[in-house]
Amino acid sequence: MTMLASIVHVMCALLLAPALPGVITRVKAWFAGRRGPPLLQAYYDLWKLLHKGAVYSKTTTWVFVAGPIVGLACAMTALLIVPMGGTAGVLSFSGDFLLLAYLLGLMRFFTILAALDTGSSFEGMGASREAFYSALAEPALLLGLVAMTAQSHSLSISGMVAAVTPVAIASPAGPALLLVAAALLIVFLAENARIPVDDPNTHLELTMIHEVMVLDHSGPDFAMIQYAATLKLWVLGALLVGILVPVRSGWWGVDLGAGIGGMVALAAVVGVIESTIARLRLVRVPQFLVAASVLSILALVLVMR
Amino acid sequence: MVWFLTALALLLLGGVLSLVLSRSRKTASLVGAISASAGGAVVLLQSFDVLISGQSQSLRLAWSVPFGSANMAVDPLSAVFAVVIALVTMLAAVYGTEYLRTHADKKNLGVSWFFFNLLTASMLMVVAARNGVLFLISWELMSLASFFLVTQEDEKETVRRAGWIYLVAMHVGTAFLLVLFLLLGKDSGTLDFDRLSTAAAPSWVFFVLAVVGFGTKAGFIPMHVWLPEAHPAAPSHVSAVMSGVMIKTGIYGLLRMLTLFGSLPAWWGWTFVGIGVVSGVMGVLYALAQHDLKRLLAYHSVENIGIIALGLGVGVLGISYKSSAMAALGLTGCLLHVINHALFKSLLFLGAGSVLHATGTGELDRLGGLLKRMPITGATFLVGSAAISGLPPLNGFVSEFLICLGAMIGLSGQVSLTASPLMGVLVVGGLALIGGLAAACFTKALGVVFLGEPRSGDVAEAHEVGRAMRWPMIVLAGLCVLIGLTAPLWPVVLQPAVAAIVPQQSSIAAEAARPLTGVVVGSCILLGLVVVLVQVRRQLLVRRRVEQAVTWDCGYTAPAPRMQYTASSFARPLVLLFRLFLQPRDDIDRPQGLFPKHAVLHTHAPDLFRRYVYEPLFAAIVWTTSKLRWLQEGRIQIYVLYIALTIFVLFIWKLR
């Protein structure tokens, strides 16, 4: 039964992930007093891109083609590991969180290489920043998970998240979990190229990070990148929702529904964040990311106290 | 042991023969490489036999040297190192036949092969020696043989300087080992390993001597300064051997020393963890700031030795906190990373050698676009880069996974320790930071060297290297993938070697295999998805228009290769963030006037330990000794007087 729930979660994620950016843009439009694009805009975009041809730069090699493919494969594999609240991941074992973190690392590795493969200095700049920020975000993510291990005594990410029950939140370890959630929120925003680290809607290549790296991709390749980005949003979001929506009723349908509701709420919160705060100056971003690591370590101290 | 001795004889015979036949460059190369491969193959077979059967083999010969007998043995711990030594030297020898052909014009190749084989034989002797005198002789032979290999291009000032630094560093390290062995043999009067005693001094004395002595060879920070000098100076196949396996003999020495102690204090483990985090993070930071491909790789050896030290630290902490699971996971990770690093680092050095061979430069900012011109070198370098960054599904991930898991066992409630949170933060946080920075560094190296457009004319005309240089790289890349995909097997294979240090741990290997099975399942799913997506993409594009164009450049019409992002600019944000540790210096010649003609910017990140620790230290030694110069009068009568006085003083001291 639990395996069925896990599979249902993966299916839901594969189908619903592109709706999350729609929710974010709708909320932002509402704040700005606009109507905004339809909720399903991302699906239309994907559909359109999948039916287009492609243009490749003469400079590029097979690495440029491999970038989106490996990226999407990594995001899908990561989706198999991540739990949604009490619903365990399809693939769950001791130390699976390391595989999850390093799969995201592999995805980034290939995205950066594909960007450098074009020989464009804009894309090189984006690649440099991506490598820079992710080197600081990775310790924050893993330290947050170390703190969760200490709280749950589980070495598997499914076990860690399942241990976050209303009882646990009310216990003395509760504040520590909230600190972990704060750290993971920072990682979530940084890794998914959202404000205040990166602005997906800026129109200047010089100021973008993630979007500038994929300037040269087109057609199905670009569709894969966009889809992989929404899956990554789902993967890291599911971790956050796992802590912040501790619905553990025992009926998997209810738990999963609450989790998916949580994802939509999280997307709305991202919309609010993007509407209310400005992007950080590039030199301030490292401090923001190091703060996430510090929050994680603080959480660990609180748990072990 | 017969086979082991046969292999040594083959290596030495081949070396001497190559020296004798050095009149013909081709024969010398052939004899050298064939004997190195044959010797390596024999050692490989025998070591596998020892590892699989778990039975050690030993040999004890009487000799007239004091302090025991010529005692040798291959136990599983030695076998692990012997496998790595044999494998990497075999492949490097094959590579060397072609590499040396063009890279050592007018050099006597017989000499080069003689020292190569001597280096291989002495490394094997180091791991097999069970007597202090034999060990130290082999150790010294290893240092000297590699010194002559490093200084092969001795017409260059930088190479001579690098060789000098290397020679001094090795002998300072050996001095500590000499004292270590003298103390170990003091009580029993013999230096046979099975009768060494640690009673002669407090255990911390042994520990400090071993960490400094073996750590100098391994390249722990701050004893690493010789590494970034010597490795780039050596011919590339020798750099691969030195960086891939020779520095690991330092780790072997430490592990062997640990077996002499009944109980290990926790602070030893913490020292290793500290050394590991510092070496790992500083090594990768220095690597990021480098502009030369081989120097960058040399600093990455410091980083990886740091990761190995982290594993060692987790293992020692496990032993001292009596958690055999933690100890086994840490030490298995440590040993597996020794193997893994040997594979991917020698692969990367061979790749760097091919780049050097094809373009004549290792300067990152002059290279570019080589993947199109050298597809095999590029693809294998990519595998090596992903592996060294610790990414799945390759081997680097497996060993880092084991070390992390070992560090987190304490938090999972299986053993309750007050020290476990600190361990989790240091090891997991450290490895995450090291991994992220290594990925940044290798996307830089790979992107600037192999992707984009060539940044200088010579590079555009580069060709793929020949077969003898390609195959060793392909084999090493294949092994990186193979270990990644057969991960659950390795704790079982390494179990007898780990058992030499942690006795009671039979079921741990099986237990470690379970999470690794999960990793392999994940990796297989990943690879399967990649295959499926490649097909999907092909189907989608089959009836559509696929065009070629120039890279999108925001409407600018005349892009030139020199406008590409450079290695320095790629690493700049990280270098500036860690400027406290790196203290980068810029030499800038600003553009001046309304129509500036030229502008120059050089960025450097000099090694701080060299600048602030060793240069003042050696300056002080020179200053002190210069004050004693008045002793050197130059008149022979004075020296006779010195001798007479010395004998007189010795007599009095003896009579007292």
Side-chain angles (χ1 to χ4, degrees), chain B residues 1-2 5 57-61 69-74 130:
Chain B
M1 274 322 272
V2 181
L5 292 179
Q57 307 183 353
S58 60
L59 176 79
R60 195 182 281 268
L61 297 172
S69 50
N71 196 350
M72 289 169 68
V74 180
R130 288 295 180 279

Side-chain angles (χ1 to χ4, degrees), chain A residues 52-54 56-59 61 65 94-95 102 106 113 118-119 121-122 125 128 132 149 153 216 221 300 304, chain B residues 371-372 390 392 401 408 411-412 421 425 451 453 515 537 544-549 551-552 554 563-565 570:
Chain A
K52 276 179 178 281
Y56 294 101
S57 158
K58 291 190 189 89
T59 309
T61 59
V65 177
S94 297
Y102 280 84
L106 183 64
L113 286 183
T118 61
S121 42
F122 285 121
M125 195 181 291
S128 163
F132 178 28
T149 301
H153 296 308
D216 257 85
D221 291 335
L300 183 61
M304 299 306 291
Chain B
L371 185 62
K372 278 188 180 160
F401 180 87
M408 290 185 64
L411 289 172
S412 71
V425 168
L451 307 176
E453 292 286 347
R537 174 180 168 278
R544 311 211 183 277
R545 219 170 53 176
V546 177
E547 287 171 80
Q548 294 261 307
T551 298
W552 167 242
C554 307
M563 291 176 187
Q564 291 174 93
Y565 227 51
F570 188 87

Side-chain angles (χ1 to χ4, degrees), chain B residues 26 38 45 47 54 128 132-133 150 200 205 208 227 270 318 323 363 376 401 488 540 550 592:
Chain B
K26 208 163 183 181
L45 288 179
S47 313
V133 178
V150 167
V205 175
V208 171
L227 236 141
W270 289 114
S323 158
E363 192 73 21
I376 301 288
F401 180 87
L540 281 172
V550 291
Q592 300 206 326

